[in-house]
Amino acid sequence: MLGAIVLVTAIWGFNFIVIKVGVAGVPPLFLAALRFTLSAFPAVFLVKRPAVPVRLLAAYGLLLGVGEFGFLFTAMKLGAAPGVSSLILQSQAFFTVLLAAWALREKIRVHSLIGMVIAGAGLALIARESLGGSAASITIWPLSMVVAAAFFWAAANIVAQKMPKADGLSLMIWSSVFSPIPLFALSFVFERSSIAASLAALRPISVGALAYLVILSTLFGYGAWNQLIMKHGAKKIAPFSLLVPVFGVASSALVFHERFTRLTAFAAILVLSGLALHALGSVALSSAARGKENGR
């Protein structure tokens, strides 16, 4: 189990490097459209559709494909560095809690509130660095887009929660059917002047980046991760997603020599600490509750 977890989180952490490479040669919305087109076809003809309402599949595909990755790819094109982006995107955990409280009437626990405050302080410090112009890793507009991507990921999580029995790989493939058309439409509106030029000058590294995004990050990554969740339970597996920004920051430092200022590094520690308190606090409470039940 641990080996599979480390492999998937490493793939997702390095995914930010691949996105940066991909958007350097292909317009971001067009690249996202290609990603979800190839994630859906031809796999949609080989994998059975999950037994869930089409409206939920469509909502998940639009929120994840158009919302999260549309914003994330564009932010990376506008200069967001891979390491700090992988960190900020994990704020989806807190957006998920807030949306679940609003949409599903789920109770927000004290440890989650404290974790949100700590991580929020870290994000505020990163924003302060950006506004002050002292952070080389990200500026305010890309920062805002990564936060927006995290929000849409959280909204997709809420939709996924309404489909608890759906197979992870099947859900990913069939929901991807709904992402390409709006992404291609947005790309035509905002990127049509650069699409032809990028295709004419398409390099092998861009094709390789697209293959990584489709095969490793999307189909294998989501399929394996959801399989782990179905076998071992979400509460046991989900906290390991904290490894993603660790791999993201490390790989960005190795490949792009991304360096944090002391203040940004402190902010990163705050964000990870808040996330850990939120995720691991839930596990601790569940273990305590089971202990009480067994002691009766």
Side-chain angles (χ1 to χ4, degrees):
M1 179 187 79
L2 186 58
I5 288 171
V6 171
L7 178 60
V8 173
T9 52
I11 287 171
W12 282 349
F14 193 74
N15 183 56
F16 291 86
I17 302 293
V18 176
I19 293 171
K20 194 70 174 178
V21 170
V23 298
V26 180
L29 295 172
F30 190 69
L31 180 64
L34 291 175
R35 171 186 181 168
F36 285 96
T37 298
L38 295 175
S39 295
F41 302 99
V44 73
F45 299 113
L46 305 173
V47 177
K48 185 179 179 181
R49 182 173 76 84
V52 298
V54 173
R55 60 182 174 80
L56 292 181
L57 281 176
Y60 186 83
L62 293 173
L63 290 168
L64 194 75
V66 183
E68 180 191 350
F69 288 103
F71 274 110
L72 179 61
F73 280 29
T74 304
M76 301 283 276
K77 179 68 174 182
L78 293 178
V84 74
S85 297
S86 69
L87 181 70
I88 295 170
L89 195 63
Q90 299 309 311
S91 61
Q92 60 84 20
F94 303 119
F95 284 128
T96 300
V97 170
L98 294 172
L99 287 174
W102 173 71
L104 305 177
R105 299 294 186 268
E106 291 187 1
K107 184 179 179 181
I108 302 178
R109 296 186 178 274
V110 174
H111 70 272
S112 291
L113 282 173
I114 297 173
M116 279 188 259
V117 171
I118 294 172
L123 291 174
L125 284 177
I126 293 173
R128 179 175 176 271
E129 284 271 88
S130 301
L131 287 169
S134 57
S137 56
I138 195 167
T139 55
I140 194 62
W141 281 112
L143 170 65
S144 302
M145 288 185 174
V146 177
V147 172
F151 175 83
F152 279 105
W153 184 6
N157 288 340
I158 299 302
V159 175
Q161 195 167 329
K162 296 178 179 291
M163 302 179 283
K165 296 182 179 179
D167 174 74
L169 179 60
S170 176
L171 172 61
M172 199 64 227
I173 290 171
W174 279 87
S175 65
S176 294
V177 171
F178 299 93
S179 303
I181 291 178
L183 283 169
F184 277 126
L186 288 169
S187 178
F188 179 78
V189 171
F190 295 107
E191 303 170 340
R192 62 180 177 274
S193 61
S194 57
I195 292 174
S198 68
L199 290 176
L202 194 63
R203 296 177 299 163
I205 193 170
S206 298
V207 176
L210 180 60
Y212 185 104
L213 291 171
V214 172
I215 299 170
L216 292 179
S217 179
T218 304
L219 298 179
F220 173 77
Y222 278 97
W225 187 259
N226 285 296
Q227 199 65 37
L228 285 167
I229 287 177
M230 285 185 288
K231 184 176 181 180
H232 300 285
K235 289 184 178 179
K236 187 174 182 179
I237 298 300
F240 286 100
S241 65
L242 291 173
L243 290 173
V244 173
V246 173
F247 284 114
V249 170
S251 58
S252 185
L254 288 172
V255 177
F256 292 123
H257 306 292
E258 181 182 352
R259 294 291 181 266
F260 286 2
T261 65
R262 288 184 179 179
L263 184 59
T264 308
F266 177 65
I269 292 171
L270 286 177
V271 173
L272 287 175
S273 299
L275 285 166
L277 180 59
H278 162 67
L280 300 178
S282 297
V283 175
L285 286 174
S286 298
S287 299
R290 285 196 298 270
K292 286 182 179 180
E293 289 179 1
N294 293 334
R296 288 176 181 174

